[in-house]
Amino acid sequence: MLLYSPVYGAHSKPLISRSQRDFNDAQLRDAIEVIQKDFPCAGYRSVQRYLFRRNGRWLNSKKIRRVMVKFSLSAHIRRKFITTTDSKHGLP
């Protein structure tokens, strides 16, 4: 029984060329940019759900994270300003 095929690797899925992978990444980047334009605070988990709702196809979170890191598509996290000093004290 042959467990490893030299043509396809260890898995049964054939490998795609680098140019095809870059093309697929560019298409995914465009879809993520559209989502982040509408929802700038969306990280990879939210983007994954929005892509599923729009396209009807579930994408792996590792692929989404890889593309977001590759093209610097980070979420803009809004944090509330917290005062750390008590300016109403009676000292000079």
Side-chain angles (χ1 to χ4, degrees):
M1 184 164 112
L2 184 63
L3 296 177
Y4 177 76
S5 174
V7 176
Y8 296 126
H11 303 285
S12 62
K13 183 178 176 183
L15 300 176
I16 61 172
S17 65
R18 184 166 302 275
S19 61
Q20 181 65 34
R21 180 177 174 179
D22 290 341
F23 180 74
N24 292 344
D25 288 351
Q27 286 183 332
L28 183 57
R29 178 199 62 210
D30 295 340
I32 291 172
E33 284 176 346
V34 168
I35 290 170
Q36 285 193 333
K37 184 181 279 187
D38 297 336
F39 307 100
C41 295
Y44 76 94
R45 289 183 180 134
S46 303
V47 166
Q48 184 180 30
R49 290 184 188 99
Y50 288 129
L51 285 171
F52 178 69
R53 288 179 193 154
R54 290 184 182 188
N55 300 334
R57 186 171 171 214
W58 190 259
L59 293 172
N60 192 350
S61 62
K62 290 184 256 183
K63 181 183 286 190
I64 295 172
R65 280 188 290 174
R66 179 180 57 80
V67 170
M68 288 178 74
V69 168
K70 181 178 177 181
F71 294 108
S72 302
L73 301 172
S74 60
H76 300 285
I77 300 171
R78 296 182 203 157
R79 298 199 185 268
K80 183 179 177 183
F81 179 75
I82 300 173
T83 56
T84 57
T85 17
D86 180 21
S87 58
K88 297 180 182 178
H89 57 76
L91 299 174

